[in-house]
Amino acid sequence: VSQRWTPEDKEWQHAGHLVANQEYRHVLDTLESLVVAQLFELTKMNRAGTGYKLWKHIAKALQTHSAAIKAALNRYNKCTLAMQLPHQMLHWEQVVEYAFLADFDLLRDTHKDISQRPWANPSACFALDTYFKMCQAEEEIECLNVEIRRVITYMRDEEHFLRTCKEKISNIHPALGHQVSQCHKLHSQFNGSHLKHLHDIAMLLGFSGTLIPGVSASKGPGE
């Protein structure tokens, strides 16, 4: 080295930007990993079959994760101030709502700065998500119209099947007929609630399906 760098030299400033960028990436990776870990813990907490002791253990782990996320968030915001180009600062409310890794990918540096692109704006992202959800909703409505009629048909056929089985078996095998009768009563208790919900759906504005039962393709016993 023929000459030592000074803060006024371009090489010094360039090296400083490289160090700041490296630290920024490291802090962002740490923040991302902590948020992902918290998402996994939340999923585990809401999983069926989670015992009370495990639930308490997860709750304590979430408290620790929250404190770690806040500390990492503070380090991240400090690093953004040292960057050459302006970077988005984050708040606690934003981070806890991140549910996709793509939310973090938009914060990363690339060869071209994408932070100023229209589609990287949070409002634009929300508009895009809403648009595609609306497009998918039209397809989902068609599927629901089919499923609603299938449920109606199944409840009618099940009611008829259990009633017929009870009448045929009661005289031959009273004990078995009693069990079929109990099963019939149990299923009948929920049919009224299901029909009410389906009727409420049918009363919604824009409903394009039908509550008229269809014809089952299977006609064999128990089908």
Side-chain angles (χ1 to χ4, degrees):
V1 179
S2 59
Q3 183 179 357
R4 296 179 63 88
W5 294 346
T6 62
E8 291 76 18
D9 294 333
K10 293 182 178 180
E11 293 83 357
W12 178 292
Q13 297 174 3
H14 179 67
H17 294 324
L18 291 177
V19 172
N21 184 58
Q22 180 66 22
E23 185 177 359
Y24 172 82
R25 288 175 177 270
H26 176 70
V27 172
L28 182 58
D29 288 339
T30 303
L31 179 61
E32 180 181 8
S33 63
L34 289 172
V35 173
V36 171
Q38 187 178 43
L39 289 175
F40 281 128
E41 293 293 343
L42 287 172
T43 303
K44 190 184 300 181
M45 176 177 286
N46 294 327
R47 186 180 303 164
T50 302
Y52 177 75
K53 290 185 178 180
L54 180 58
W55 188 90
K56 292 290 291 183
H57 177 74
I58 295 174
K60 291 182 179 179
L62 287 176
Q63 292 179 354
T64 304
H65 275 299
S66 298
I69 290 175
K70 289 181 179 179
L73 181 61
N74 291 333
R75 291 197 300 271
Y76 168 83
N77 287 330
K78 289 180 180 178
C79 288
T80 57
L81 299 176
M83 297 296 292
Q84 182 179 11
L85 296 175
H87 283 67
Q88 178 185 353
M89 298 187 68
L90 297 177
H91 302 284
W92 170 253
E93 292 77 10
Q94 292 176 271
V95 173
V96 294
E97 291 182 357
Y98 279 3
F100 299 98
L101 298 182
D103 295 328
F104 288 98
D105 290 339
L106 290 177
L107 301 175
R108 300 189 180 280
D109 284 333
T110 57
H111 293 292
K112 295 182 179 180
D113 183 23
I114 64 173
S115 61
Q116 304 302 320
R117 295 294 181 91
W119 46 264
N121 185 278
S123 300
C125 291
F126 177 76
L128 286 172
D129 290 341
T130 304
Y131 169 75
F132 287 114
K133 286 180 180 179
M134 292 178 64
C135 293
Q136 192 66 28
E138 297 179 0
E139 180 180 347
E140 186 67 19
I141 288 175
E142 297 180 3
C143 296
L144 288 175
N145 287 340
V146 175
E147 294 299 327
I148 287 173
R149 197 172 191 190
R150 284 179 177 175
V151 172
I152 290 284
T153 305
Y154 176 81
M155 287 193 297
R156 181 204 60 187
D157 292 346
E158 183 187 49
E159 177 76 16
H160 175 73
F161 172 74
L162 292 176
R163 189 186 306 111
T164 303
C165 288
K166 180 180 65 174
E167 294 174 354
K168 290 183 177 180
I169 297 175
S170 296
N171 296 330
I172 304 174
H173 200 307
L176 182 58
H178 175 72
Q179 294 299 323
V180 174
S181 177
Q182 294 299 317
C183 180
H184 182 210
K185 290 180 180 179
L186 178 63
H187 285 256
S188 299
Q189 291 177 357
F190 300 102
N191 286 346
S193 177
H194 294 328
L195 289 173
K196 181 182 182 303
H197 288 305
L198 292 173
H199 181 266
D200 293 340
I201 293 175
M203 297 303 295
L204 293 175
L205 183 64
F207 178 73
S208 57
T210 178
L211 296 184
I212 300 176
V215 179
S216 178
S218 301
K219 295 294 185 180
E223 296 181 337

